[in-house]
Amino acid sequence: MSIVITGASGQLGRHVVEALLERNVPASDIVATGRSVGKLADFAARGVQVRAMDYTDPASVAAALRGARTVLLISGSEVGQRVEQHRNVIEAAKAEGVELVAYTSIANADTTGMKLAAEHQATEALLQKSGVPFALLRNGWYLENYTEQLPGTLAQGAVAGSAGDGRVSAASRADYAQAAAAVLTADGQAGKVYELGGDHAFTMAELAAEISAAAGKPVTYQDMPAADYAGMLAGVGVPEAFADILADSDLGIARGDLLVTSGDLQKLIGRPATKLAQAVRSAVASA
């Protein structure tokens, strides 16, 4: 009986596999799945089982979940197609009789009005109706959402957005991955709902100040109407529909939709979450 990680070739998925290995889960008990098994070759070399799985192909999903005890369903990346993709995994998990499906949802999924949350909300509803034992990992924003944009931010001397003075509880991908590994290796997780986010929420102005301090150059926060922000994103190559979703997500931050105060992340990983300053300094140093 194994722990299956869907989307293991992605950034979060890779961190989860590493976190399970750090917890001394035998490599042979871990199944890393992805569309391209070639991207998982390094895990295979370490004894991890590697299987091809495409969310859109129910047969491949069923084959990948064969023998699974626990499944981490990492939400798909194709906005607009994710509900049916997730349905394929949930149905395969039910057919296989898995003991737990842990799903990476979004922070405050039951109350947020963000457009990006709609498919997560629909997936949570599918799980509730499926009869499959499940746990919800409602992940907040990644710190990497901001640090990976540093070259452009430093070039422009500004963080742009529509979040106003709203605060976001962000943590690193590695933090969320370690939380997932903790849930996947613990007993009695069915029915648990974890609201996961960093320990210290921050505004975009505070983010800009941290970048400025780390880089030693002025960086400010440029707040703008959501339509203007979406237009700016589209102007630099972000697909128009996704640019609209990103701008809408900033409006969610302004409302407090991504503010997490549960402390669940720190409890699961047994340490403080990665701090904004730490993530920014590291990113600036490697930029």
Side-chain angles (χ1 to χ4, degrees):
M1 300 293 284
S2 55
I3 300 174
V4 176
I5 310 302
T6 74
S9 57
Q11 291 172 306
L12 178 62
R14 292 187 66 84
H15 278 301
V16 174
V17 175
E18 293 288 359
L20 289 170
L21 292 170
E22 289 172 9
R23 286 176 169 268
N24 297 315
V25 175
S28 59
D29 289 349
I30 303 170
V31 179
T33 74
R35 287 181 178 175
S36 171
V37 293
K39 294 181 179 178
L40 299 168
D42 57 323
F43 287 138
R46 296 161 65 184
V48 173
Q49 297 185 61
V50 170
R51 298 177 185 170
M53 194 190 83
D54 185 332
Y55 284 144
T56 65
D57 178 7
S60 78
V61 174
L65 266 57
R66 193 163 295 125
R69 174 180 58 83
T70 305
V71 174
L72 176 64
L73 171 53
I74 294 178
S75 57
S77 59
E78 297 171 300
V79 176
Q81 303 179 45
R82 296 191 288 185
V83 177
E84 289 307 311
Q85 292 175 354
H86 297 166
R87 187 194 306 274
N88 289 337
V89 178
I90 294 166
E91 291 181 348
K94 182 175 183 177
E96 191 63 32
V98 303
E99 296 177 12
L100 182 76
V101 171
Y103 172 62
T104 61
S105 188
I106 193 170
N108 303 312
D110 53 341
T111 58
T112 180
M114 289 166 50
K115 293 178 181 178
L116 191 62
E119 289 175 302
H120 292 295
Q121 293 163 338
T123 300
E124 290 192 8
L126 287 176
L127 283 165
Q128 290 166 356
K129 294 175 183 177
S130 71
V132 176
F134 67 91
L136 299 177
L137 306 175
R138 289 177 171 168
N139 291 347
W141 249 215
Y142 300 142
L143 286 169
E144 289 88 347
N145 289 355
Y146 303 111
T147 59
E148 289 174 357
Q149 306 303 316
L150 269 178
T153 299
L154 291 172
Q156 296 297 322
V159 173
S162 301
D165 294 325
R167 308 186 76 83
V168 57
S169 303
S172 70
R173 285 193 185 96
D175 291 339
Y176 293 118
Q178 289 180 17
V183 170
L184 294 170
T185 55
D187 294 327
Q189 295 301 302
K192 295 289 184 67
V193 178
Y194 295 100
E195 295 289 351
L196 302 174
D199 304 327
H200 304 287
F202 55 88
T203 66
M204 294 302 98
E206 290 168 344
L207 168 65
E210 287 289 358
I211 296 171
S212 181
K217 62 174 292 186
V219 176
T220 60
Y221 174 51
Q222 181 182 355
D223 195 62
M224 57 183 70
D228 292 349
Y229 182 41
M232 186 202 79
L233 292 171
V236 297
V238 178
E240 188 172 331
F242 193 57
D244 178 64
I245 286 174
L246 292 177
D248 177 78
S249 295
D250 260 26
L251 294 179
I253 292 174
R255 293 191 301 268
D257 288 9
L258 290 177
L259 181 63
V260 176
T261 59
S262 67
D264 286 348
L265 181 59
Q266 183 173 150
K267 293 170 191 173
L268 283 173
I269 65 180
R271 60 165 176 79
T274 304
K275 294 181 179 179
L276 172 64
Q278 175 186 348
V280 168
R281 286 195 302 266
S282 178
V284 167
S286 59

